[in-house]
């Protein structure tokens, strides 16, 4: 409202009686206030829900990603070294088994020759 309009309003009110507000104005004002408060609560609730959903998604993502994060370069090298050690141990065991088989075959062949002699 400009100063001129305010002066006109003041002069009109002084000349005439006070202007009465409409009967339903009070209800309209309170209804508008209630609607704005309700809308603010809804916005706050939606914001809270969005934060919770984002937090849950982040937690699930962390649960999925964290096990793989532990496998770093050094961990991969450790696993490779462990595999190599197990492989060489297995190969040594195979060689021992082959030697045992060869010894057994040799012993059996000697025993067979002795049996033939007697």
């Amino acid at each position: 409202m400009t100063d001129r309009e305010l002066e006109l309003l003041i002069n009109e009110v002084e000349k005439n009686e006070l202007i009465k507000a409409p009967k339903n104005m009070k209800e309209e004002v309170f209804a508008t206030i209630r609607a704005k408060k309700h809308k603010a609560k809804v916005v706050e609730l939606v914001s809270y829900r969005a934060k919770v959903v984002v937090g849950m998604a982040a937690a699930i993502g962390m649960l999925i990603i964290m096990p793989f994060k532990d496998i770093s370069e050094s961990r991969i090298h450790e696993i490779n070294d462990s595999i190599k050690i197990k492989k060489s141990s297995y190969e040594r065991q195979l060689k021992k088994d082959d030697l045992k088989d060869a010894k057994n075959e040799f012993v059996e062949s000697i025993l067979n020759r002795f049996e033939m002699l007697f």
Side-chain angles (χ1 to χ4, degrees):
M1 212 179 211
T2 64
D3 288 337
R4 174 117 173 91
E5 291 172 341
L6 183 60
E7 280 183 41
L8 288 173
L9 179 64
I10 290 171
N11 289 334
E12 187 178 326
V13 170
E14 286 177 354
K15 287 181 191 175
N16 302 327
E17 288 184 28
L18 291 174
I19 301 172
K20 292 189 178 185
K23 291 181 181 180
N24 62 352
M25 185 175 180
K26 181 179 178 181
E27 289 84 22
E28 286 179 11
V29 169
F30 283 124
T32 304
I33 290 171
R34 271 187 246 118
K36 286 184 179 180
K37 283 183 180 179
H38 179 71
K39 186 177 181 180
K41 285 183 180 179
V42 167
V43 168
E44 184 179 347
L45 180 63
V46 168
S47 172
Y48 176 74
R49 286 181 180 173
K51 289 176 185 176
V52 168
V53 167
V54 168
M56 288 172 47
I60 291 170
M62 296 280 289
L63 287 173
I64 292 170
I65 293 172
M66 288 306 287
F68 298 112
K69 186 179 181 227
D70 189 35
I71 300 179
S72 60
E73 286 281 326
S74 61
R75 181 74 177 133
I76 291 172
H77 290 302
E78 288 175 16
I79 292 170
N80 282 339
D81 292 343
S82 173
I83 290 171
K84 287 178 185 175
I85 290 169
K86 288 179 182 177
K87 183 180 176 185
S88 64
S89 172
Y90 178 72
E91 287 173 348
R92 274 186 261 132
Q93 185 64 37
L94 282 178
K95 286 180 183 177
K96 287 179 184 177
D97 290 344
D98 288 344
L99 286 174
K100 285 179 185 177
D101 289 342
K103 286 179 185 176
N104 287 340
E105 287 177 15
F106 178 72
V107 170
E108 284 180 20
S109 68
I110 292 175
L111 288 174
N112 286 336
R113 288 185 185 160
F114 277 119
E115 285 178 358
M116 286 184 203
L117 290 174
F118 297 105

